[in-house]
């Protein structure tokens, strides 16, 4: 009874007759326990040590120490018998100071400093006491902002403005265990672990439903920014000229600390390898100290390193602008900007990159890791110096009334270099991730009491460090230094319809290229190899396609049964080579929108904002968003351009605010006590109505050796929409009405039943399709507020709000895998239930 074993204070389980309590098999005569292997010898491999008819103490000293951190039940139930009260305190402290001075009539200077600290317990309810709890942690977010400026009036028409800024953000996330300054791995008896103040991770097979112990989160991200800019303004006739320079320095240090982790699985106490899914018990494996796998990663892949990473980057720009008043009716805005975003460098030059041309010395073939030379400043990508951005705008008032204004503009805008690795990439070899796994998935990788096996400390500057593995977080092509470019244009007409009532209609468009993306895979098999069909999975040693081992040592690296698809990759010593780590810039997009708005400024107690947007957003770069699917064919990224995941063709928002005409100074009930009761009332609402989101369907049967997902093929005779969707009657609780999509519309082009033994092919369902969308979004928020004066300078304010006032239920995007039994069925909403809240405050 492992429920009893889990609680050391409970009575020990009893062996019934001659049955082994670990797996229910008979105890055979002549079996003996071997303490060196923690196994019963001459018998089945799943054995707990026992004496007479009682379990003895755990065979592992580490297990005995771990059990001390498991609290006794708080009630007598067999399950759900432990309760731990916890809270989520938040302390938010802000300070700001500013000093302005005018030493003379021509000089003005200022300085300011503000800081904020947000300390809170994050972000899940603790289920066990600290330090062993695996859920909550401390989050300490601190910012420091310093500013300084100097205005120098050189002459009545010339002004120079200098500004300096310093930004520092410190995002620290660490477990409560780290506060105790205890080496818990040493305390538990886990030898050869790196120094760590975290409680080691003790993880169990999820099927056994034991709660994991320890939380590996322990990092501190420090971001320092320095800003210097100077501008010179010259007023000359109809010209308002501005010249300037902008210089920035950014330092980012993603500091992380390792946490020892021990993973216990069923297999190590199963009766034989084939039964590991149904036999054995991960807690029993802990009692025997038989570790399935171990590592030092903790949360966020901390790894081991002899240094803490620090990245430094620079940015500088020059600009000139002229606001030219051609006449009383026409004003032009003319500008030119030159940006240079210098790619980052690593402190001490501890950085590495995968090179397609460097020779792998182990096999004497191209494709190897290269390491930066000590003392230099290696960037791996080229600095782009051609980022020249012209811009033009105009405002034209053609009629004497001045009630009609035409506005427009166009320009080129560049984006910053966006690193997608949070500072954790491009350092392979200088940071290592030792992982210890079972050689056969059945025997333990090591015994907890013996500690972690020996491992080499970093650096490991082996060019073939990835041989036999995927290449991750390690590939930058030199052209990735080109920043994103946005070509933007717009035109609007503003018309004053009445006093304080402005109508505007306009068009906005843009086209972007070199967007941050995660599309490429340079180690896919050739497209021509799709015709090999089933031979892609055949053994190189026995294939009929004429494929041979690409280099000596191929079979020793991948095994005697290595398949053809592995041999025909461009770099056959590796599997996938990911170039999306940091700066990949293969994305593109276009956006076109009609914008309509009606605005009434506050007058006679009423203000009003109404807006409508009709837009189309196309891109292939949704892959830069978390959870978004990447493209099918990276060799032709244009074919994967489709509606964006964020495409919402129609958006309508109305936000009126009306002050009722009652009370003092109003038209009605403006005297006596009734003026206090009836006066000061305001009613407002924000109503938002949007189209549903488009859908991406993924993924069909993969093509061996092709690392991009494969789209489905569309059955043109079938609708993507289910009958319920077409009828507008989706009910997730009624069979036959609970799905958005029609699974019959999807054909898996590489399914054996479709392909047979023929060639593999791509599907034709768009990467994202707007043919079927999630549910429309409707929400209304209503507020009622009353302001009551109490005395001079003192006011009482009462407010009632109904958020999602009509309690609408808008479903989230449903299951989008056509092979799932729940395909098309929503299981969540994107709206919260109606929330009514009241607030009262005194303002003085």
């Amino acid at each position: 009874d492992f429920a009893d074993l889990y609680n050391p204070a409970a009575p020990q389980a009893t062996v019934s007759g001659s049955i082994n309590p670990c797996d229910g098999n008979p105890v055979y005569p002549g079996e003996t326990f071997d303490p060196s292997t923690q196994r019963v010898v001459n018998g089945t491999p799943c054995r707990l040590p026992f004496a007479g008819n009682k379990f003895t103490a755990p065979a592992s000293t580490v297990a005995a120490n771990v059990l001390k951190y498991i609290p006794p039940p708080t009630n007598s139930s067999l399950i759900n018998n432990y309760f731990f009260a916890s809270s989520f305190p938040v302390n938010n402290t802000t300070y700001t100071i500013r000093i302005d001075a005018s030493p003379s009539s021509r000089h003005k200077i200022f300085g300011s400093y503000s800081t904020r600290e947000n300390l809170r317990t994050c972000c899940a309810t603790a289920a066990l006491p600290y330090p062993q709890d695996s859920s909550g942690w401390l989050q300490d977010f601190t910012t420091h902002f310093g500013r300084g400026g100097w205005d120098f009036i050189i002459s009545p028409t010339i002004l120079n403005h200098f500004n300096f800024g310093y930004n520092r953000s410190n995002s620290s996330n660490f477990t409560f265990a780290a506060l105790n300054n205890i080496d818990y791995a040493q305390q538990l008896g886990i030898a050869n672990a790196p120094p760590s103040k975290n409680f080691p991770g003790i993880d169990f097979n999820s099927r056994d439903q034991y709660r994991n112990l320890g939380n590996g989160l322990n990092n501190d991200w420090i971001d320092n920014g320095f800003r210097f800019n100077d501008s010179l303004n010259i007023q000359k006739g109809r010209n308002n000229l501005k010249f300037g320079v902008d210089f920035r320095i950014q330092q980012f240090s993603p500091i992380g600390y390792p946490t020892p982790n021990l993973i216990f699985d069923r297999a190590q106490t199963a009766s034989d390898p084939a039964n590991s899914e149904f036999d054995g018990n991960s807690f029993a494996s802990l009692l025997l100290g038989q570790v399935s796998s171990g590592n030092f990663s903790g949360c966020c892949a901390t790894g081991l390193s002899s240094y803490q990473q620090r990245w430094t980057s620079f940015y500088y720009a020059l600009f000139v602008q002229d606001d030219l008043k051609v006449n009383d009716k026409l004003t032009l805005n003319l500008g030119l900007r030159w940006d240079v975003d210098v790619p980052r460098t690593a402190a001490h030059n501890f950085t590495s990159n995968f090179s397609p041309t460097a020779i792998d010395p182990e096999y004497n073939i191209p494709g190897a890791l290269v390491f930066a030379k000590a003392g230099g400043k290696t960037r791996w990508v080229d600095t782009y110096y051609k980022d020249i951005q012209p811009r033009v705008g105009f405002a034209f008032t053609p009629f004497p009334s001045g009630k009609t204004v035409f506005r427009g503009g166009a320009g080129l805008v560049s984006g910053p270099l966006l690193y997608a690795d949070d500072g954790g990439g491009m350092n392979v070899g200088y940071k290592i991730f030792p992982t210890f796994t079972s050689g056969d998935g059945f025997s333990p990788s090591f015994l907890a009491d013996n500690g972690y096996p020996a491992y080499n400390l970093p650096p490991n500057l082996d060019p073939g460090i990835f041989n036999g593995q995927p290449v991750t977080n390690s590939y930058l092509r030199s052209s990735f230094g080109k920043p994103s470019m946005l070509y933007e244009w717009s035109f609007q007409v503003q018309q004053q319809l009445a006093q304080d009532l402005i109508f505007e209609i306009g068009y906005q468009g843009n086209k972007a290229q070199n967007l941050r993306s995660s599309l490429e895979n340079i180690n896919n098999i050739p497209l021509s190899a799709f015709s090999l069909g089933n031979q892609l999975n055949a053994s190189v040693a026995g294939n009929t396609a004429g494929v041979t081992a690409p280099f000596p040592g191929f079979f020793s690296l991948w095994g005697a049964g290595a398949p053809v698809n592995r041999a025909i990759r461009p770099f056959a010593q590796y599997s996938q080579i990911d170039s999306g780590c940091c700066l990949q810039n293969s994305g593109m997009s276009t956006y076109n929108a009609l914008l309509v708005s009606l605005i009434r400024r506050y007058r006679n107690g009423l203000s009003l904002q109404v807006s409508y947007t009709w837009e189309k957003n196309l891109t292939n770069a949704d892959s830069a968003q978390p959870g978004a699917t990447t493209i099918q064919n990276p060799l032709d990224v244009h074919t994967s351009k489709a509606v964006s995941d964020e495409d919402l063709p129609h958006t309508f928002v109305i936000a009126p605010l009306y002050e009722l005409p009652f009370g003092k100074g109003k038209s009605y009930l403006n005297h006596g006590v009734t003026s206090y009761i009836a006066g000061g009332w305001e009613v407002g609402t924000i109503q938002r109505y949007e189209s549903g989101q488009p859908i991406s369907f993924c993924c069909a049967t993969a093509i061996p050796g092709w690392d991009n997902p494969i789209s489905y093929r569309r059955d043109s005779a079938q609708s993507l929409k289910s009958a319920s969707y077409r009828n507008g009657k989706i009910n997730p609780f009624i069979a036959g009405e609970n799905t958005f999509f029609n699974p019959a519309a999807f054909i898996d082009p590489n399914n054996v039943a479709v392909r047979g033994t023929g060639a593999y092919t791509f599907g034709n369902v768009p990467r994202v399709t707007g043919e079927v969308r999630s549910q429309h979004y409707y929400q209304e928020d209503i507020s009622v507020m009353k302001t009551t004066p109490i005395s001079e300078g003192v006011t009482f304010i009462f407010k009632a709000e109904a958020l999602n006032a009509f309690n609408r239920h808008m479903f989230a995007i449903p299951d989008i895998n056509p092979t799932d039994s729940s395909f098309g069925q929503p299981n969540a909403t994107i709206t919260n239930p109606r929330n009514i809240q009241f607030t009262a405050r005194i303002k003085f």
Side-chain angles (χ1 to χ4, degrees), residues 529-548:
F530 287 10
S531 62
L532 295 179
N534 289 352
Q535 286 298 303
L536 287 173
N537 277 325
S539 169
V540 172
N543 76 93
T544 60
V547 176
T548 59

Side-chain angles (χ1 to χ4, degrees), residues 2 5-6 20-23 38-39 46-49 55 58-60 63 204 208 210 264-266 268-270 279-291:
F2 291 103
L5 287 175
Y6 194 74
N20 185 326
C22 177
D23 55 19
Q38 299 289 297
R39 291 288 182 118
C46 180
R47 287 291 182 267
L48 284 173
F55 282 113
S60 165
F204 301 99
D208 296 328
Y210 299 124
F264 296 94
D265 211 334
R266 290 180 160 200
Q268 282 65 51
T269 45
D279 197 359
N281 189 283
S282 55
F283 194 81
S285 298
L286 165 67
L287 296 177
L288 295 179
Q290 298 189 5
V291 181

Side-chain angles (χ1 to χ4, degrees), residues 59-72:
S60 165
T61 301
V62 170
N65 291 331
V66 169
L67 293 180
K68 296 175 183 177
Y69 284 93
I70 299 177

Side-chain angles (χ1 to χ4, degrees), residues 492-696:
Q492 301 93 30
V493 179
Q494 286 183 329
Q495 178 68 47
Q496 181 178 334
L497 301 179
Q499 185 178 2
D500 296 321
L501 185 63
I502 306 296
F503 173 78
E504 181 175 327
I505 184 170
Y507 161 75
Q508 181 176 338
N510 64 56
K511 175 180 174 59
Q513 62 187 36
N514 302 113
L515 294 177
R516 165 80 190 103
S517 60
S518 182
L519 308 178
E520 302 179 13
N521 276 307
I522 66 170
N523 208 30
N524 282 338
I525 62 174
L527 285 174
S528 58
F530 287 10
S531 62
L532 295 179
N534 289 352
Q535 286 298 303
L536 287 173
N537 277 325
S539 169
V540 172
N543 76 93
T544 60
V547 176
T548 59
F551 57 85
F554 174 79
F555 291 114
S556 62
L557 176 66
W558 295 112
V564 165
N565 72 79
R566 199 171 285 287
I568 60 176
R569 286 182 181 263
F571 304 95
Q573 70 272 42
Y574 308 110
S575 49
Q576 182 181 16
I577 298 177
D578 174 27
S579 61
C581 146
C582 307
L583 278 178
Q584 190 187 114
N585 58 356
S586 304
M588 65 190 76
S589 72
T590 57
Y591 177 84
N592 293 278
L594 172 69
L595 309 172
V596 182
S597 67
L598 181 67
I599 299 176
R600 175 192 167 104
R601 296 184 179 90
Y602 188 81
R603 189 172 72 89
N604 294 335
L606 176 65
S607 67
L608 175 67
Q609 293 186 33
V610 181
S611 67
Y612 168 70
T613 302
W614 178 33
E615 59 87 31
K616 186 81 166 185
N617 190 351
L618 301 173
T619 186
N620 67 358
D622 282 320
S623 59
Q625 303 174 28
T629 58
T630 186
I631 66 175
Q632 178 175 232
N633 183 8
L635 300 178
D636 187 1
V637 295
H638 292 270
T639 60
S640 293
K641 189 175 181 181
V643 291
S644 169
D645 283 335
E646 298 179 337
D647 179 69
L648 301 173
H650 302 282
T651 300
F652 178 75
V653 179
I654 179 170
L657 178 65
Y658 181 57
E659 184 178 357
L660 300 183
F662 307 118
K664 188 175 182 181
K666 302 296 181 180
S667 301
Y668 308 102
L669 302 178
N670 51 21
H671 297 289
V673 177
T674 56
S675 68
Y676 286 94
I677 299 174
W681 288 95
E682 290 180 337
V683 179
T685 178
I686 299 177
Q687 302 170 47
R688 189 176 189 89
Y689 308 97
E690 291 179 340
S691 302
Q693 286 185 268
I695 305 295
S696 58

Side-chain angles (χ1 to χ4, degrees), residues 95-236:
Y95 300 97
T96 300
I97 184 172
R98 178 181 170 114
I99 299 175
D100 292 86
S102 299
S104 71
S105 60
R106 298 176 59 191
H107 298 273
K108 293 183 179 181
I109 59 175
F110 83 92
S112 68
Y113 169 74
S114 63
T115 180
R116 171 185 173 233
E117 181 179 23
N118 186 287
L119 179 64
R120 65 170 181 157
T121 299
C122 189
C123 286
T125 304
L128 293 171
Y130 301 115
Q132 64 267 40
D133 181 66
S134 61
S135 302
W137 69 89
L138 278 174
Q139 184 180 80
D140 191 357
F141 183 75
T142 307
T143 58
H144 302 275
F145 297 137
R147 295 289 182 271
W150 172 33
D151 288 337
F152 176 27
I153 303 174
I154 300 174
S155 74
T157 59
I158 302 177
L159 169 67
N160 189 82
H161 176 74
F162 172 77
N163 205 50
F164 164 76
Y166 170 67
N167 307 325
R168 179 183 176 90
S169 64
N170 195 172
S171 179
S172 179
N173 293 269
F174 54 93
T175 63
F176 287 88
L179 298 174
N180 297 330
N181 198 31
I182 296 173
D183 189 334
Y184 286 100
Q186 184 182 49
Q187 187 182 81
L188 294 177
I190 305 172
N192 204 28
S196 174
K197 305 304 179 184
N198 266 4
F199 194 88
I202 308 294
D203 294 353
F204 301 99
N205 185 298
S206 60
R207 288 194 176 192
D208 296 328
Q209 298 186 9
Y210 299 124
R211 181 167 296 281
N212 296 336
L213 306 180
N215 186 328
L217 194 64
N218 196 354
N219 61 51
D220 191 0
W221 288 1
I222 301 173
D223 195 20
N224 291 306
F226 302 86
R227 305 287 186 264
F228 305 87
N229 57 70
D230 190 88
S231 61
L232 182 68
N233 289 71
I234 302 176
Q235 183 72 43
K236 187 176 181 178

